[in-house]
Amino acid sequence: MYTVTQIAKDSGITPHTVRHYSRIGLLRPNRNPENGYRTFSPNDKGRLQFIRRARLLGFSLDEVAEIFRLADLGKMPCVFVRASLDARIAANRREIERLKKLQKRMERAQRAWAVDTDPASGDTICQLIESFENSA
Amino acid sequence: MYTVTQIAKDSGITPHTVRHYSRIGLLRPNRNPENGYRTFSPNDKGRLQFIRRARLLGFSLDEVAEIFRLADLGKMPCVFVRASLDARIAANRREIERLKKLQKRMERAQRAWAVDTDPASGDTICQLIESFENSA
DNA sequence: TTGCTCCTCACGTCACGTGAGGTGGC
DNA sequence: TTGCTCCTCACGTCACGTGAGGTGGC
């Protein structure tokens, strides 16, 4: 049996995160009837490790909850897990592309502004700002 | 003068977003005293376009607010803008790296599970799940 | 009356982080 | 009393999206 801080340290997370998982039902610790403290079993610890591994693979807490729900029903969550993973891989690919495009836009702006450090062109230093002022 | 819907359409965003910008003070439309409707000037339209361009460059609304504040004080926001942009470029680079690593982890798991579609290894199909069950 | 636009709350998103205020045992 | 751990709210994050419920003029 572990306290919230013990199980948190063992798993490399904060006690607050453990409480968070408990509040949303991913963990179901018992309570010490004397003081209301949460008490975690080795089984809880396994669940917590599973949550952490799933998070590292990009699964959301909602997906973890669904996996637990299926497992509790005695169903193999594998089909769901695979579908989730496939969807996340595709979504993450799109997100990476989106950020790369953003990166290019930002670097383009950075270069444009770098060129204008020449004091001779002092009135076009902040093109972003000016494009705003011009349109106002 | 424009209504919230007119200026929104012209700028390619939703009326709700325009109201949102107004509520947080990025836009300061007048009010029609008869019905309380917001009325936007060409100057507001310029501000809105600026906001949108800044968003495309990755600036947060808080940063836009700071840029407006500096401009309203008659100060050149350029130093702030450059510093923000540099910081965002660096942060975005790190974020892209983070997502690439996540992508690799996910694809590794996907491959590992694909291999195990062989029915002969039916009891190791869901390694993620099993690593959980084993540790429980 | 119907249809359209406008308005103001107010909650939801995602996974927690950060206090605030209080308890219990050494 | 001090220090430590535990507890429960409850708000903040980021940029809106999505209703809910109501108004005003054609």
Side-chain angles (χ1 to χ4, degrees), chain B residues 3 5 19 31 37-38:
Chain B
T3 66
T5 299
R19 290 193 195 96
R31 295 285 184 157
Y37 289 11
R38 296 175 181 82

Side-chain angles (χ1 to χ4, degrees), chain A residues 8-136:
Chain A
K9 273 190 183 164
D10 288 357
S11 307
I13 59 179
T14 70
H16 190 96
T17 297
V18 174
R19 290 193 195 98
H20 179 61
Y21 293 164
S22 303
R23 192 172 0 149
I24 64 178
L26 289 184
L27 298 175
R28 320 219 177 193
N30 289 319
R31 296 284 184 155
N32 181 333
E34 291 181 15
N35 52 23
Y37 288 12
R38 296 175 181 82
T39 58
F40 297 88
S41 69
N43 182 39
D44 289 320
K45 197 170 174 182
R47 284 197 159 223
L48 185 50
Q49 286 175 6
F50 177 81
I51 297 170
R52 287 281 110 187
R53 271 197 288 268
R55 297 283 301 128
L56 283 176
L57 281 176
F59 290 94
S60 71
L61 295 182
D62 271 358
E63 285 170 333
V64 172
E66 175 66 7
I67 292 169
F68 282 171
R69 197 184 65 80
L70 290 172
D72 287 349
L73 291 174
K75 296 182 180 176
M76 289 290 271
C78 306
V79 172
F80 173 77
V81 169
R82 279 177 200 257
S84 298
L85 187 66
D86 291 349
R88 290 207 167 272
I89 286 173
N92 199 52
R93 214 189 303 280
R94 284 193 297 274
E95 179 67 3
I96 289 171
E97 280 313 304
R98 193 182 70 79
L99 294 187
K100 280 184 176 174
K101 283 179 187 166
L102 170 60
Q103 190 78 358
K104 281 185 185 169
R105 281 198 303 276
M106 294 192 296
E107 288 175 350
R108 201 150 39 222
Q110 191 182 42
R111 278 197 303 276
W113 292 338
V115 168
D116 279 333
T117 49
D118 179 1
S121 61
D123 56 346
T124 57
I125 283 182
C126 278
Q127 293 187 357
L128 179 65
I129 306 302
E130 292 198 355
S131 68
F132 158 58
E133 311 232 42
N134 290 342
S135 66

